[in-house]
């Protein structure tokens, strides 16, 4: 009888919802101080912050961020919209963003567009319904409706992974046409004259398309050099790279230098060269973009261009935190050029 009677009591206690008042009582502080801890952590003293953190852990308290957001007209959520969650480039940036934002108790809401502007527009509408503290978009190409929605919202915006014009608010990244220029210049320095740019999904991936454009412009400005672009509509993969090389040597049998829209394409090119008996780099120089985890370990190791994905994330987070701390005032540096690094390895 005694055991049976005690069970429901424990169940009721476990189901009881912990409130911000409970946290305040446990920390021996006022509820307003605990509320401030979630809204503006820098405004709470270190000792109070430690006491609140201990109370939250002891009570398993889960804050209702939207309730706080509605009271303050904005939430503690930062909406991050990337082209693809499968892409290692963007994963690195998102991880860095989340790590830095979490230090200020800002949470991340992540979504992806699969490179479709219409999907981005719908995702922006959804994000704005949550009264975000800021919105992070990838690239500078957006629909007119997306630009109008964000302009009217007055929410801080950071466009990442690309610099250029026009920028809506703040931007962190690099110039993709300069990446193309750097790739072409490297191949020209290696004595290559018949150049190709192999790309995937260039009709949707506008940053890759800009790299292709910069590559061709730089190559064609050199004497006695030819340069063309061959593309495939599917997402980048080693299989697509192999197919593109087959088309390349069929259409341009004298090709001696290839730059690829990313390292997956370049890896497929290397595999197909090995199957076809094309010597790298003696017969054909190959370059990628991204410096993915396999690039240095490939045989031959892949010459590539490394974009600073983690730095982009950290700088974007810094801009957001600075803007929020100054209540909407302009940040110190609205546009940050992170540049990129060309890594010369065995494949060129």
């Amino acid at each position: 009888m005694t055991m049976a009677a005690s069970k429901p009591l424990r169940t009721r206690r476990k189901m009881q919802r912990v409130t911000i008042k409970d946290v305040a009582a446990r920390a021996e502080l006022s509820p307003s101080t605990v509320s401030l801890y979630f809204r503006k952590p820098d405004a709470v003293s270190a000792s109070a912050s430690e006491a609140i953190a201990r109370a939250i852990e002891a009570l398993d308290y889960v804050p209702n961020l939207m309730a706080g957001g509605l009271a303050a007209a904005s939430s503690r959520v930062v909406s991050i919209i990337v082209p693809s969650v499968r892409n290692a480039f963007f994963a690195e940036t998102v991880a860095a963003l989340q790590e830095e934002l979490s230090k200020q108790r800002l949470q991340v809401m992540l979504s992806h567009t699969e490179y479709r502007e219409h999907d981005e527009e719908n995702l922006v509408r959804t994000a704005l319904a949550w009264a975000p503290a800021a919105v992070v978009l990838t690239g500078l190409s957006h629909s007119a409706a997306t630009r109008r929605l964000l302009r009217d919202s007055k929410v801080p915006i950071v466009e990442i992974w690309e610099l250029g014009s026009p920028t809506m608010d703040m931007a962190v990244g690099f110039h993709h046409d300069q990446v193309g220029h750097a790739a072409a210049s490297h191949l020209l320095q290696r004595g290559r004259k018949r150049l190709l740019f192999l790309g995937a999904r260039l009709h949707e991936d506008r940053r890759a398309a800009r790299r292709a454009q910069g590559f061709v412009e730089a190559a064609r400005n050199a004497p006695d050099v030819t340069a063309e672009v061959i593309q495939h509509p599917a997402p980048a993969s080693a299989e697509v790279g192999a197919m593109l090389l087959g088309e390349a040597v069929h259409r341009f049998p004298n090709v001696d230098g290839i730059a690829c829209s990313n390292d997956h394409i370049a890896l497929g090119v290397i595999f197909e060269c090995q199957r076809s008996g094309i010597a790298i780099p003696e017969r054909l120089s190959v370059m990628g973009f991204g410096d993915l985890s396999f690039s240095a370990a490939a045989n031959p190791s892949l010459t590539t261009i490394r974009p600073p994905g983690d730095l982009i994330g950290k700088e974007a987070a810094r801009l957001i935190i600075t803007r929020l701390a100054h209540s909407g005032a302009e940040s110190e540096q609205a546009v940050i050029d992170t540049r990129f690094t060309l890594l010369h390895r065995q494949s060129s």
Side-chain angles (χ1 to χ4, degrees):
M1 293 281 295
T2 304
M3 289 179 66
S6 64
K7 248 181 176 178
L9 181 60
R10 285 199 300 269
T11 302
R12 282 196 297 273
R13 282 179 179 169
K14 188 175 182 181
M15 292 176 63
Q16 211 169 26
R17 190 177 188 282
V18 179
T19 68
I20 200 168
K21 291 182 179 179
D22 298 322
V23 175
R26 178 89 181 200
E28 299 182 345
L29 295 165
S30 68
S32 61
T33 301
V34 177
S35 176
L36 187 63
Y37 171 86
F38 290 111
R39 292 183 290 107
K40 294 183 178 180
D42 290 341
V44 179
S45 69
S47 59
S49 293
E50 290 175 10
I52 294 168
R54 287 196 298 269
I56 289 169
E57 184 176 1
L59 297 172
D60 288 332
Y61 176 64
V62 178
N64 185 340
L65 294 176
M66 269 310 296
L70 291 172
S74 66
S75 70
R76 299 292 296 175
V77 173
V78 174
S79 172
I80 303 175
I81 302 176
V82 298
S84 173
V85 294
R86 294 188 295 269
N87 193 314
F89 307 154
F90 304 123
E92 184 180 30
T93 298
V94 171
L97 258 166
Q98 184 168 1
E99 181 179 1
E100 295 301 313
L101 292 173
S102 67
K103 295 174 183 177
Q104 300 297 318
R105 284 182 278 282
L106 288 162
Q107 305 301 315
V108 164
M109 179 170 65
L110 176 64
S111 51
H112 71 115
T113 67
E114 281 302 326
Y115 295 91
R116 293 186 287 262
E117 281 192 359
H118 180 69
D119 285 6
E120 180 186 66
E121 180 182 321
N122 289 334
L123 289 168
V124 166
R125 290 181 188 277
T126 300
L128 292 178
W130 287 81
V135 173
V136 178
L137 301 176
T138 306
L140 303 177
S141 299
H142 316 288
S143 71
T146 294
R147 292 180 178 279
R148 184 176 64 253
L149 285 166
L150 290 169
R151 182 183 65 245
D152 293 346
S153 74
K154 309 298 183 184
V155 170
I157 304 157
V158 184
E159 293 167 288
I160 58 173
W161 269 85
E162 184 177 10
L163 295 185
S165 181
T167 299
M168 282 189 283
D169 185 3
M170 300 175 281
V172 182
F174 52 93
H175 295 274
H176 286 258
D177 57 336
Q178 292 179 7
V179 173
H181 275 259
S185 296
H186 177 76
L187 292 175
L188 292 173
Q189 289 167 9
R190 309 304 294 171
R192 307 304 175 173
K193 296 286 189 179
R194 304 293 175 259
L195 307 184
L196 293 178
F197 186 97
L198 306 186
R201 209 178 199 167
L202 298 186
H203 61 297
E204 294 176 324
D205 187 348
R206 299 190 180 183
R207 286 166 298 284
R210 287 192 174 97
R211 296 196 292 275
Q213 182 180 3
F215 179 85
V216 170
E217 288 176 353
R220 289 179 178 173
N221 284 335
D224 303 320
V225 173
T226 62
E228 302 292 341
V229 176
I230 301 177
Q231 60 179 305
H232 194 285
S237 68
E239 181 181 9
V240 167
M243 287 190 292
L244 284 170
L245 180 71
E247 181 180 352
V249 296
H250 174 72
R251 291 175 53 188
F252 305 97
N254 294 326
V255 58
D256 58 8
I258 286 177
C260 302
S261 60
N262 72 27
D263 286 356
H264 289 293
I265 298 290
L267 184 65
V269 169
I270 290 175
F271 287 160
E272 189 61 24
C273 283
Q274 291 169 345
R275 282 191 288 265
S276 304
I278 300 173
I280 299 175
E282 294 81 5
R283 164 69 180 80
L284 181 67
S285 288
V286 180
M287 291 186 64
F289 172 81
D291 192 30
L292 298 179
S293 58
F294 58 80
S295 302
N299 185 21
S301 57
L302 179 62
T303 294
T304 188
I305 292 176
R306 177 192 294 162
D310 57 344
L311 179 61
I312 290 172
K314 289 177 181 178
E315 287 297 315
R318 186 180 67 80
L319 288 180
I320 291 168
I321 292 165
T322 301
R323 176 68 63 85
L324 296 178
H326 290 84
S327 303
E330 287 296 325
S331 56
E332 306 178 357
Q333 189 178 8
V335 176
I336 298 174
D337 189 345
T338 59
R339 304 187 184 279
F340 51 85
T341 305
L342 194 152
L343 302 171
H344 179 207
R345 296 185 179 129
Q346 295 171 343
S347 68
S348 66

